[in-house]
Amino acid sequence: MRYKFDFGALVEHWPEFLSGALTTLQMTAFAVVFGLVIGILCAIGRRSASPFLQWLCGFYVETIRNTPYLIQIFFIFFGLSSIGIKLPIFVAAVLTLVINVGAYTAEIVRAGMDTIHPGQIEAAQALGLSQPQIYWDVILRPALERVYPALTSQFVLMMLASSITSQISAEELTAVANNIQSFTFRAFETYIVVAFLYLLLAVILKLAFYGFGQIIFPRRRRLGTAL
Amino acid sequence: MSAAVSLRDVHKRFGEVEVLKGVSFDVAPGEVVAVIGRSGSGKSTALRCVNRLETIQSGEIEVHGRRVDDPALDLRALRRDVGMVFQSYNLFPHLTVAENITLAPRRVRKTPQSEARHIAVEALARVGLSDKIDAYPEQLSGGQQQRVAIARSLAMQPKVMLFDEVTSALDPHLTGEVLKVMEALARGGMTMLVVTHEMAFARRVADRVIFMHTGKVWETGAGEMLAHPQTPELREFLANGL
């Protein structure tokens, strides 16, 4: 069996590849920001004294982490539309990503918070800090610094998993590739290019997270050690 | 003159276990009181009740006229006035020495950044660590960390300082440097309640020593009492080399 590679047929489609990659990045950016917020709130909820909040956040986290992402997408996109809630595709795709990554983020952040020694909290209480101040300065900041590598690798994984949203025709990189290969009949070449583009996006994302980490965690920047 | 700290018939239980069984004592303004006793005698618990890290079941605690056991107490106002230093230092590992010291002034007293730095410089000078202002806790020895913890408390200009076995995690050399700082504080007129295993320190620096045993104040007196224990329990405690 001999196969002749022909990437030439793909060259004219570069604007579509680019736009797909940008959509993927855009979805990732939204999902990281909102997923982080939801994850933090949920982690706090699971540690709260209220049994209802504990249950609610636990239910959300466990449900999402124990069902397939594709089913979550179908549930939100087709499920909601059958009860009359029609979301634009991009919004639905981002929403599913946020809900999905929020649950994983919640568990990572909670693990980070659990590493904070109770003595730290007592010291802050003894200094007269309020509960929200303690949460921000003494629990959350070091917790995030500690789990930052796990968190960012989760975000990269999510960027890769966003290819599944092509199933509801979100115009991201994978959907674009599906289209292109159906015009050009160059499936092998198309997916080689797409794989390379995902790899490139992952590297860019990792570098960006690294740089961001250097800015927001001055201790790590100066000492280079894990907290 | 009214007492800086006063405990009246304080009872504290953890579940079924009664740890404080009617503890009463006063600390006068500017006085240094050392609390000694075995592990489990209730001395640390008594200390932790003073700034309400623990709540009591009955009795009264007052700090500069403020009822600590009052449920309507402004807890943060109390804690602004009462500094506390812990056995395990509890410095915030992600913050520099300066940030550790200025966190509470900035957050609680709303001190502006520039002024806060000045507070850190002054507090560090008092514990002899001016050159460590931009270091992180992990770059310091245990003794240095504990001195920073003292400076962190001092930065809030407390009226009373509580010390909870602050040298128990340190070797004798590092213990010495921390005790020296505490001695200087005592000479400067700070009101101090010190739970300690350092008998020499209690004897030399404390105005008064309280020996606690099985959740009660068992014996109390000037530092001299350690040379002439009145009760067999204190005699035995001292004889065991603690």
Side-chain angles (χ1 to χ4, degrees):
Chain A
M1 220 169 80
R2 304 197 59 178
Y3 185 84
K4 262 190 82 185
F5 281 100
D6 177 14
F7 287 95
L10 301 179
V11 174
E12 59 173 312
H13 294 286
W14 73 264
E16 290 144 70
F17 279 116
L18 183 66
S19 127
L22 286 177
T23 304
T24 293
L25 272 185
Q26 228 172 12
M27 284 168 43
T28 304
F30 278 116
V32 165
V33 172
F34 292 109
L36 187 60
V37 171
I38 288 181
I40 288 172
L41 291 178
C42 235
I44 293 174
R46 283 196 101 173
R47 289 166 49 97
S48 82
S50 149
F52 174 70
L53 272 183
Q54 279 178 29
W55 175 85
L56 186 70
C57 296
F59 177 77
Y60 158 64
V61 168
E62 294 310 325
T63 306
I64 295 300
R65 283 169 24 113
N66 292 291
T67 51
Y69 178 45
L70 186 59
I71 301 301
Q72 295 163 16
I73 293 176
F74 287 163
F75 178 84
I76 285 184
F77 188 65
F78 298 120
L80 289 185
S81 78
S82 56
I83 57 166
I85 304 171
K86 276 212 180 301
L87 296 174
I89 290 174
F90 182 81
V91 174
V94 168
L95 187 64
T96 59
L97 277 175
V98 168
I99 290 172
N100 184 270
V101 83
Y104 287 92
T105 303
E107 277 307 84
I108 296 175
V109 172
R110 185 167 75 116
M113 286 178 169
D114 286 348
T115 66
I116 307 298
H117 195 273
Q120 297 273 311
I121 295 161
E122 278 190 347
Q125 286 171 337
L127 285 166
L129 268 69
S130 67
Q131 196 62 18
Q133 288 169 340
I134 292 174
Y135 246 109
W136 174 247
D137 284 307
V138 178
I139 300 178
L140 201 52
R141 285 181 57 191
L144 287 179
E145 180 169 345
R146 218 159 266 169
V147 300
Y148 190 67
L151 215 48
T152 55
S153 82
Q154 184 66 47
F155 292 150
V156 171
L157 273 178
M158 182 211 58
M159 185 274 287
L160 299 175
S162 74
S163 73
I164 301 178
T165 63
S166 63
Q167 291 302 304
I168 54 168
S169 311
E171 289 293 312
E172 47 67 72
L173 193 49
T174 304
V176 165
N178 291 344
N179 278 338
I180 292 173
Q181 67 91 21
S182 70
F183 298 142
T184 59
F185 303 106
R186 285 285 157 194
F188 208 170
E189 290 87 340
T190 305
Y191 291 115
I192 287 175
V193 170
V194 164
F196 173 77
L197 286 175
Y198 273 113
L199 192 64
L200 193 69
L201 287 183
V203 171
I204 291 171
L205 220 50
K206 276 189 183 175
L207 286 175
F209 282 133
Y210 175 80
F212 188 61
Q214 294 290 303
I215 294 167
I216 59 169
F217 302 123
R219 195 206 64 86
R220 188 184 285 258
R221 180 177 68 237
R222 264 184 46 199
L223 305 186
T225 54
L227 187 64
Chain B
M1 196 168 190
S2 68
V5 178
S6 120
L7 283 77
R8 286 281 159 274
D9 196 26
V10 169
H11 288 259
K12 166 75 188 168
R13 271 193 319 274
F14 288 111
E16 293 297 295
V17 188
E18 190 168 31
V19 216
L20 300 179
K21 301 171 186 165
V23 171
S24 303
F25 63 81
D26 287 333
V27 184
E31 194 181 24
V32 177
V33 173
V35 185
I36 60 171
R38 283 209 181 108
S39 302
S41 61
K43 54 192 194 306
S44 281
T45 304
L47 193 76
R48 291 164 57 85
C49 289
V50 172
N51 67 350
R52 219 166 91 178
L53 282 180
E54 304 290 353
T55 48
I56 62 174
Q57 269 78 40
S58 67
E60 287 176 19
I61 301 179
E62 249 182 49
V63 176
H64 282 283
R66 206 184 253 128
R67 276 285 292 272
V68 174
D69 51 295
D70 177 1
L73 166 81
D74 180 353
L75 194 54
R76 296 180 61 202
L78 167 79
R79 285 170 176 172
R80 277 200 295 270
D81 287 346
V82 182
M84 184 164 193
V85 185
F86 300 83
Q87 178 178 344
S88 48
Y89 335 132
N90 293 337
L91 292 183
F92 307 127
H94 59 299
L95 301 179
T96 65
V97 166
E99 289 163 344
N100 262 279
I101 295 171
T102 59
L103 180 65
R106 282 190 295 122
R107 292 285 190 266
V108 181
R109 292 202 192 282
K110 310 291 176 204
T111 310
Q113 187 89 44
S114 53
E115 206 179 310
R117 178 83 182 179
H118 185 68
I119 289 174
V121 169
E122 268 188 358
L124 281 174
R126 287 177 78 176
V127 301
L129 284 174
S130 298
D131 56 328
K132 300 292 183 193
I133 188 159
D134 290 317
Y136 282 94
E138 69 189 87
Q139 296 173 299
L140 305 178
S141 72
Q144 289 171 333
Q145 289 194 45
Q146 196 58 294
R147 284 150 68 195
V148 170
I150 295 174
R152 179 173 68 174
S153 271
L154 289 176
M156 287 298 279
Q157 299 168 318
K159 294 179 183 153
V160 178
M161 289 274 283
L162 309 175
F163 293 87
D164 189 7
E165 300 192 27
V166 296
T167 58
S168 299
L170 301 172
D171 69 34
H173 174 67
L174 299 179
T175 295
E177 65 179 54
V178 173
L179 293 181
K180 245 176 27 201
V181 167
M182 289 169 63
E183 210 173 324
L185 264 185
R187 274 201 307 274
M190 176 63 77
T191 308
M192 291 163 61
L193 188 52
V194 186
V195 169
T196 186
H197 288 298
E198 294 296 327
M199 291 307 131
F201 176 82
R203 197 168 163 177
R204 199 177 64 246
V205 181
D207 300 307
R208 211 144 46 82
V209 178
I210 292 172
F211 170 60
M212 285 188 63
H213 186 66
T214 60
K216 292 177 186 154
V217 172
W218 206 260
E219 198 172 328
T220 172
E224 277 309 296
M225 113 183 170
L226 298 176
H228 311 285
Q230 299 299 306
T231 57
E233 288 80 6
L234 179 55
R235 211 169 299 141
E236 194 198 342
F237 172 72
L238 294 169
N240 283 341
L242 272 170

